[in-house]
Amino acid sequence: MSGLAYCARAHVQRTFEHLTNVLPPQLKEKPQVLVIAGGTTPFRNDTDRELPFRQESNFYYLSGCSVPGSFLLALYQPERTNASARLSVNLLIPEIDAAVLMWSVPPPTIEEAKQIFDVTNIQYSSELQSAVDSLLQSHPEAIFHTLSRNSPLFPVLPEEYLTTIVASETHTITDAYLLSSLHTVRLIKDEIEIAVLRRANDISSRAHETVMRVLGKAVQGKILQEKGAGIDRPLLPGEWLIEKEAEAEAIFIASCRREGAVHQAYLPIVAASKRAATLHYCCNDREFTWGPVKPHDHLNQGAFAQAPAPERKLEPQVLLIDAGCEWDCYSADITRTMPVGNGGKFSENSKQIYSLVLEMQQKSMETLRPGVHWDTIQLLCHEILVEGFLKLGLFKGSKDKILRSGISSAFFPHGVGHSLGMDVHDVPSASKPAVNSTIPQDNVGHPNFYTYLRLRLPLAEGMVVTVEPGIYFHEHLLKTAEESEYVNHDVLNKYREVGGVRIEDDVLITSDGHENLTKVRSDVEWLELVCSGEI
């Protein structure tokens, strides 16, 4: 990474500035205070064993602190002209408890924390009440802002810390403004956030390529120690074959974990054959299509490895992996669809669909720049899909009439992408606001195209978005196309076996265009060479 330190105070400053802009006039000039809780260590039910801890995103954005049981208390004084006097950020961390030292890693000491966190002051969390009371006394009429209280979405801020604020006749406590302000400022990433997102993308890109290369190694017969070959010891990582979805997932996660990524940004989607048509498929435990396991099966017979060698032949199919790791609470979100069986080459039909999805993505990328509305990119993808389906004979009729019919949403039902940052679907309340005057009114197409868009704003410099068009032949979705006059059903039947194709990269919007943060390639020639083991 760049070696840049996380600038928590800058994030707090940006949040306060936006918050004061949206406050009613009578509140703007008063002192503003944030008081929020970080997450606490979760435990497995009926055990005292800790589960992996991941800090709540808004708390981390404002503090850069992943210590469980922490609090943040920040003060902003709009009337001050001196910038350093305007802002004070107080981080409160738990004190080391000698009774739990033998069970768990202790939090940092105050002195250690001062070297780690970009805040004004460090205290122990037991001092939060006195810190709140001190602000009440020193800043009459201060407005205290919290995240949504009594919400399961955020760590609980114990009511005892708020009692004196609620009881005060001169102070106000509100949860009406902070979350929306946080989400708005989180849409635009700073230099440090972009560096961390690059790191997450680098690690995840290598993990995707690792899976492809293990598949290619098997095609070349270079993984010699096969299951059932009389080996009386566990197989070592270099001897693993990928014969089902779970094994591809395991190799992906192992590659990320080996590079220091503790968390996946979301549960990986690893879907082979026709299961690749299920957008958020999460079973990840079925065998690839072969012999007794057909493309439409959701079976996991566990028999591939035990079958005689001549019978162990995978059918031509795709393997869709939508997965990305997290680095310092920032997410990667990458999808690659790769060929399995057929010597590591796409079948003709799957290659045609893959190439069309790649065209959708590449032409979308060429259009990305500040000011372009995301709805425009969504419509562009549908236009390219319709043109491609007309060429393949899947559609018939007029392009404009097909677009107005909305039938292409049966094959591309989701949004072309979303904002990305700390959360994989970053800040939805800001990226798709309930009241939105930016939506273009002159779009050609159908309302169905925009139903599942998670981003409906003009692009701006500093945004990071995913670009992830896809084409799917999902039996449930195809029922909506059964009566369409624009679908050539005889041709459609030939493509049902493809399942689904999605290609997804993570992209930074720059001042004059974009930068692709995702490094693993997606062109057909390279994919086939890698997945066949030829390079």
Side-chain angles (χ1 to χ4, degrees):
M1 213 175 70
S2 65
L4 298 171
Y6 192 85
C7 294
R9 275 187 283 192
H11 291 178
V12 177
Q13 176 87 19
R14 287 174 58 196
T15 302
F16 269 127
E17 288 173 353
H18 186 275
L19 188 151
T20 53
N21 283 336
V22 300
L23 286 175
Q26 66 273 22
L27 302 180
K28 286 181 182 290
E29 298 306 318
K30 295 185 177 184
Q32 309 294 325
V33 178
L34 307 184
V35 54
I36 61 173
T40 56
T41 303
F43 290 84
R44 175 77 180 262
N45 291 346
D46 298 322
T47 76
D48 62 353
R49 182 66 177 97
E50 300 90 343
L51 293 172
F53 175 76
R54 195 271 190 187
Q55 185 61 273
E56 194 274 326
S57 294
N58 294 294
F59 187 88
Y60 190 88
Y61 181 78
L62 295 172
S63 68
C65 175
S66 284
V67 179
S70 298
F71 296 91
L72 188 79
L73 186 65
L75 169 68
Y76 181 68
Q77 301 178 83
E79 74 281 2
R80 295 290 184 93
T81 56
N82 186 330
S84 62
R86 283 187 182 187
L87 185 70
S88 174
V89 183
N90 195 12
L91 177 65
L92 300 100
I93 60 175
E95 196 167 358
I96 296 172
D97 185 344
V100 298
L101 273 179
M102 67 177 175
W103 302 106
S104 303
V105 176
T109 65
I110 294 289
E111 290 307 313
E112 289 170 338
K114 287 178 179 178
Q115 304 303 313
I116 299 170
F117 303 117
D118 176 37
V119 295
T120 310
N121 188 38
I122 308 276
Q123 292 176 266
Y124 287 125
S125 51
S126 58
E127 300 174 71
L128 178 59
Q129 186 65 70
S130 62
V132 169
D133 291 343
S134 177
L135 281 177
L136 287 170
Q137 293 174 13
S138 61
H139 292 83
E141 300 188 338
I143 313 299
F144 283 76
H145 299 273
T146 69
L147 293 175
S148 305
R149 288 150 65 193
N150 304 315
S151 168
L153 299 177
F154 307 107
V156 174
L157 184 60
E159 285 296 320
E160 61 262 29
Y161 297 125
L162 309 178
T163 303
T164 51
I165 310 172
V166 174
S168 172
E169 295 181 358
T170 61
H171 297 83
T172 302
I173 183 167
T174 176
D175 61 5
Y177 306 103
L178 177 55
L179 183 62
S180 61
S181 295
L182 265 168
H183 279 189
T184 300
V185 297
R186 281 176 52 190
L187 271 178
I188 306 300
K189 277 63 181 179
D190 60 30
E191 182 182 5
I192 294 147
E193 293 179 285
I194 292 166
V196 179
L197 286 163
R198 268 201 195 92
R199 181 69 177 270
N201 263 269
D202 288 347
I203 294 171
S204 303
S205 292
R206 286 189 286 270
H208 277 281
E209 184 173 340
T210 296
V211 174
M212 297 174 193
R213 291 195 176 279
V214 173
L215 288 169
K217 202 173 177 184
V219 170
Q220 293 293 321
K222 294 178 180 178
I223 301 178
L224 304 177
Q225 305 295 347
E226 298 183 0
K227 298 175 184 176
I231 299 173
D232 59 359
R233 59 166 175 78
L235 297 179
L236 305 179
E239 299 167 334
W240 293 351
L241 286 169
I242 300 178
E243 301 166 349
K244 54 179 179 284
E245 295 156 348
E247 292 167 328
E249 179 185 20
I251 287 172
F252 183 93
I253 293 174
S255 180
C256 294
R257 194 69 180 90
R258 180 175 174 270
E259 292 202 47
V262 176
H263 298 287
Q264 292 294 298
Y266 51 97
L267 292 177
I269 299 164
V270 185
S273 192
K274 296 187 75 171
R275 294 180 293 278
T278 301
L279 303 184
H280 281 183
Y281 177 83
C282 60
C283 301
N284 299 357
D285 66 346
R286 303 304 193 245
E287 289 183 355
F288 295 162
T289 299
W290 71 284
V293 180
K294 302 303 179 186
H296 61 277
D297 287 346
H298 282 256
L299 302 175
N300 187 14
Q301 299 185 345
F304 185 84
Q306 282 71 46
E311 297 178 18
R312 289 202 304 273
K313 183 178 180 181
L314 296 172
E315 298 295 326
Q317 62 199 284
V318 298
L319 172 63
L320 186 154
I321 302 180
D322 184 338
C325 76
E326 194 174 79
W327 188 264
D328 282 352
C329 285
Y330 283 81
S331 301
D333 185 2
I334 302 170
T335 305
R336 287 295 180 266
T337 306
M338 58 202 74
V340 170
N342 198 38
K345 310 288 186 179
F346 287 108
S347 69
E348 186 57 33
N349 287 346
S350 62
K351 182 184 289 188
Q352 290 171 345
I353 299 303
Y354 185 94
S355 298
L356 180 53
V357 174
L358 188 61
E359 181 185 358
M360 292 162 70
Q361 191 198 46
Q362 289 174 338
K363 289 186 175 177
S364 294
M365 296 274 206
E366 292 169 4
T367 310
L368 300 182
R369 64 183 183 278
V372 173
H373 202 284
W374 198 239
D375 281 24
T376 303
I377 307 299
Q378 180 77 2
L379 179 59
L380 174 63
C381 284
H382 278 276
E383 290 174 336
I384 297 167
L385 186 155
V386 170
E387 291 168 356
F389 272 26
L390 284 168
K391 290 177 184 176
L392 293 174
L394 276 157
F395 282 169
K396 55 187 177 180
S398 157
K399 172 188 169 182
D400 288 343
K401 288 182 179 179
I402 295 170
L403 283 168
R404 286 195 293 270
S405 76
I407 194 62
S408 55
S409 60
F411 302 88
F412 174 37
H414 61 77
V416 66
H418 49 79
S419 176
L420 179 72
M422 303 189 75
D423 297 315
V424 70
H425 295 150
D426 210 39
V427 290
S429 72
S431 64
K432 188 179 180 179
V435 179
N436 191 349
S437 61
T438 72
I439 295 175
Q441 299 302 309
D442 58 349
N443 277 358
V444 178
H446 192 278
N448 285 356
F449 295 171
Y450 311 100
T451 301
Y452 297 108
L453 265 183
R454 300 177 188 273
L455 174 63
R456 299 201 71 178
L457 294 173
L459 296 173
E461 182 180 359
M463 280 186 177
V464 176
V465 298
T466 67
V467 184
E468 51 174 309
I471 293 175
Y472 312 88
F473 298 90
H474 191 290
E475 295 304 322
H476 171 71
L477 294 173
L478 292 181
K479 289 184 183 301
T480 64
E482 286 179 352
E483 305 301 322
S484 174
E485 62 182 296
Y486 302 110
V487 176
N488 188 329
H489 294 282
D490 290 337
V491 177
L492 172 60
N493 287 334
K494 299 175 183 178
Y495 286 90
R496 288 177 184 263
E497 51 102 31
V498 172
V501 171
R502 183 165 62 254
I503 307 169
E504 178 181 20
D505 290 4
D506 302 341
V507 177
L508 168 67
I509 305 303
T510 62
S511 60
D512 58 354
H514 74 277
E515 176 192 344
N516 192 341
L517 303 179
T518 300
K519 300 300 189 295
V520 60
R521 288 172 58 176
S522 55
D523 54 285
V524 171
E525 180 182 10
W526 182 84
L527 267 177
E528 290 191 331
L529 287 171
V530 172
C531 291
S532 65
E534 295 175 30
I535 59 171

